[in-house]
């Protein structure tokens, strides 16, 4: 069984920076696309950023130019570097990943981690 675990959340002031991490653990074959989502007023899970195994990144419109996603395939870990944070970035950030083995692809979610940006 494969699990995702987030770390690095916390409280930061407006304009500050924070990096959150998501690590896959367990009986891993291959982690394909991984990323981050957060809820908004109109969406339960809104795209923050995703990254393919090959390193191709995609960002939600509200974070483009401020957030950077990266990954270390050897560690089955992704990182989200968040800069110029704003109060409306406050949310529980959930890690997402697609695990694949010989039989199937499995879509996984982490427990979520709180990021709070104070005014």
């Amino acid at each position: 069984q494969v699990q995702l675990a987030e770390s690095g959340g916390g409280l930061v002031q407006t304009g500050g920076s924070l990096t959150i991490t998501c690590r896959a653990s367990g009986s891993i074959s291959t982690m394909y696309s991984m990323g981050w989502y957060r809820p908004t007023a109109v969406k339960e899970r809104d795209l923050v950023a995703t990254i393919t195994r090959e390193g191709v990144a995609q960002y939600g419109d509200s974070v483009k130019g401020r957030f950077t996603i990266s990954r270390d395939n050897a560690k089955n870990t992704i990182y989200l570097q968040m800069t110029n944070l704003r109060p409306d970035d406050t949310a529980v950030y959930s890690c997402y990943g697609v695990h694949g083995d010989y039989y199937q692809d499995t879509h996984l979610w982490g427990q979520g981690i709180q990021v709070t940006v104070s005014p």
Side-chain angles (χ1 to χ4, degrees):
Q1 190 173 359
V2 178
Q3 294 180 325
L4 303 178
E6 301 100 334
S7 62
L11 175 65
V12 63
Q13 292 184 329
T14 295
S17 300
L18 192 67
T19 297
I20 56 178
T21 300
C22 174
R23 179 176 173 269
S25 63
S27 301
I28 297 172
S29 178
T30 304
M31 293 301 302
Y32 293 108
S33 180
M34 298 181 72
W36 297 94
Y37 288 77
R38 66 187 184 187
T40 68
V42 295
K43 265 187 168 181
E44 182 178 354
R45 285 170 176 160
D46 193 40
L47 171 69
V48 177
T50 60
I51 186 167
T52 68
R53 184 170 180 80
E54 295 75 23
V56 177
Q58 181 182 3
Y59 296 94
D61 289 341
S62 63
V63 307
K64 283 179 183 175
R66 301 188 298 124
F67 291 11
T68 302
I69 190 169
S70 60
R71 70 187 286 165
D72 184 334
N73 289 332
K75 296 181 179 179
N76 294 304
T77 299
I78 61 170
Y79 309 91
L80 185 69
Q81 183 180 8
M82 303 180 287
T83 63
N84 194 20
L85 282 159
R86 312 183 303 219
D88 62 358
D89 293 316
T90 295
V92 174
Y93 286 69
S94 295
C95 178
Y96 166 80
V98 179
H99 174 258
D101 60 21
Y102 180 81
Y103 300 101
Q104 63 182 5
D105 289 344
T106 304
H107 297 255
L108 304 168
W109 290 93
Q111 297 272 18
I113 192 163
Q114 179 70 44
V115 172
T116 303
V117 184
S118 62

